[in-house]
Amino acid sequence: MSKKIPRCQVLPLPDDVASFQVDGLERTQWHFDAKYFRPFFFPFNGPSSSSLTRMGHPGAPNHDHHLSVWFAHVSVNGFNFWSNTTKARIRQKNWLSYEDGDEEAVMATSVGWYDDERRELMAQELVAALRPIKNGEHYLEVQSTFRPKLEKITLGKTNFGFLAVRVAKTLAVYWGGGELSNSEGQKGEKMIFGQSARWVDYSGPVAVGTGPDRKAAIEGITYHDHPSNPGYPVHWHVREDGWMGASFCMLEPFEIRREKPLILRYLLHAHSGEVSAARSDQVHDAFGQSKGFRVSKSSKPHREFETFRI
């Protein structure tokens, strides 16, 4: 008898793409072709299979560095890894593991941050896990371990970095009538920008289906900070034009030393309907109580204990 096919799979595709799928239905892709300035996730599909994120800014053509869901930072030892106007690049060096399973699909990769002269300043060990939950919803958990190639690396004070999310045009407050909210009961850019919060949510209408049967539904992304991250709860950079990011260095610079790598964990929850603060708090508490991944000598990622369940 043949083995059972896992529900959750990471499938390598042509052109340096890895597809995260649940029951054969794609939820996101990881793009790491060297033609891009940095790797990214796109699309990031919601329960209806419509993407909740987009490539680029709807009203600013010079924002082509906005790549759906991506890692970047505006100042790493003074080098700008945020803009597409510099020579600094973030490159995947190799993939470490693709792990399929019934409860989650996990990818581990080795990424390098290279300055204007192609010197590697910092290595990033990225583990991404996609986990399906009820009603077609899912979590994308991302854990990054940043290791300086020098004795130390200074991350400059900035609103821009590390994990960024550009939501779909229809979800944005300005473009589509969506809504921004956070764990502290605040709503809108003016109330949330620069404030600390455990999570921030962007929800709004998405198109479901095609042709005459096409209709609108409400879906969204809840972006969670992890209690183990330095500076928790993080201060947030949000915009009504469809942007949210946990600003790790908003208040002050941060130094990473070779003997003490920086580990950051975040969770993106793709949900149906309007955000429920009570449910988001429950998800956050479960995420906060969980421990992350370690990558073994065999390059396979393993959780330090059982995955959280909500």
Side-chain angles (χ1 to χ4, degrees):
M1 182 179 294
S2 61
K3 287 186 177 181
K4 179 183 176 182
I5 299 174
R7 283 194 67 203
C8 310
Q9 295 180 293
V10 185
L11 300 179
L13 300 179
D15 301 318
D16 292 336
V17 173
S19 173
F20 288 74
Q21 301 185 5
V22 177
D23 296 325
L25 190 65
E26 186 171 82
R27 289 306 180 192
T28 191
Q29 291 184 348
W30 171 249
H31 298 259
F32 57 98
D33 194 303
K35 68 183 179 183
Y36 301 113
F37 280 68
R38 56 199 64 85
F40 57 93
F41 292 97
F42 178 82
F44 185 70
N45 292 333
S48 67
S49 294
S50 295
S51 181
L52 303 179
T53 62
R54 65 170 283 131
M55 300 290 288
H57 190 300
N62 63 342
H63 280 52
D64 56 354
H65 56 283
H66 283 207
L67 303 174
S68 178
V69 178
W70 75 103
F71 282 92
H73 199 283
V74 81
S75 178
V76 179
N77 267 19
F79 292 95
N80 186 343
F81 288 88
W82 188 267
S83 171
N84 283 4
T85 61
T86 72
K87 295 181 180 180
R89 298 288 188 274
I90 304 172
R91 292 279 184 262
Q92 178 166 313
K93 295 185 288 187
N94 55 1
W95 64 271
L96 302 176
S97 181
Y98 294 150
E99 294 292 312
D100 303 330
D102 286 334
E103 294 195 348
E104 62 184 1
V106 185
M107 174 191 75
T109 68
S110 177
V111 178
W113 293 53
Y114 298 89
D115 68 15
D116 290 0
E117 297 182 3
R118 298 296 189 266
R119 296 170 299 193
E120 187 177 5
L121 296 180
M122 183 168 66
Q124 177 185 5
E125 179 187 276
L126 173 66
V127 182
L130 188 129
R131 184 178 179 83
I133 50 177
K134 61 183 180 180
N135 299 325
E137 299 182 0
H138 65 82
Y139 302 132
L140 178 64
E141 179 181 350
V142 289
Q143 173 183 300
S144 288
T145 303
F146 297 96
R147 306 178 190 275
K149 290 296 184 178
L150 310 174
E151 286 300 319
K152 62 181 180 179
I153 288 287
T154 299
L155 307 175
K157 179 181 176 181
T158 178
N159 294 348
F160 300 97
F162 271 104
L163 181 64
V165 178
R166 164 58 63 177
V167 301
K169 184 178 181 180
T170 56
L171 264 67
V173 175
Y174 181 83
W175 302 102
E179 185 174 69
L180 267 167
S181 59
N182 71 7
S183 58
E184 312 313 299
Q186 298 166 315
K187 295 183 183 295
E189 178 183 327
K190 291 183 179 179
M191 294 294 293
I192 296 174
F193 183 91
Q195 301 301 310
S196 62
R198 292 165 291 144
W199 54 261
V200 165
D201 181 87
Y202 225 131
S203 295
V206 295
V208 181
T210 58
D213 296 327
R214 199 169 191 230
K215 58 183 180 180
I218 302 296
E219 296 182 350
I221 303 171
T222 311
Y223 181 165
H224 296 263
D225 190 25
H226 194 275
S228 66
N229 294 343
Y232 171 89
V234 72
H235 293 255
W236 294 86
H237 185 174
V238 299
R239 295 295 184 192
E240 291 187 348
D241 65 12
W243 152 267
M244 59 178 172
S247 294
F248 182 71
C249 295
M250 178 176 280
L251 299 185
E252 59 186 2
F254 188 89
E255 185 177 273
I256 312 175
R257 302 193 68 87
R258 181 178 288 174
E259 66 271 15
K260 190 178 180 181
L262 171 64
I263 301 175
L264 295 176
R265 296 180 62 196
Y266 299 107
L267 183 77
L268 301 180
H269 174 196
H271 63 82
S272 58
E274 296 180 355
V275 62
S276 163
R279 185 185 180 204
S280 295
D281 286 344
Q282 186 182 22
V283 170
H284 188 84
D285 290 345
F287 178 48
Q289 292 169 15
S290 71
K291 291 186 179 179
F293 291 93
R294 57 182 176 84
V295 179
S296 67
K297 292 181 180 179
S298 65
S299 297
K300 292 185 177 182
H302 299 281
R303 287 194 180 273
E304 294 188 339
F305 74 94
E306 190 176 16
T307 303
F308 66 93
R309 288 184 171 85
I310 289 293

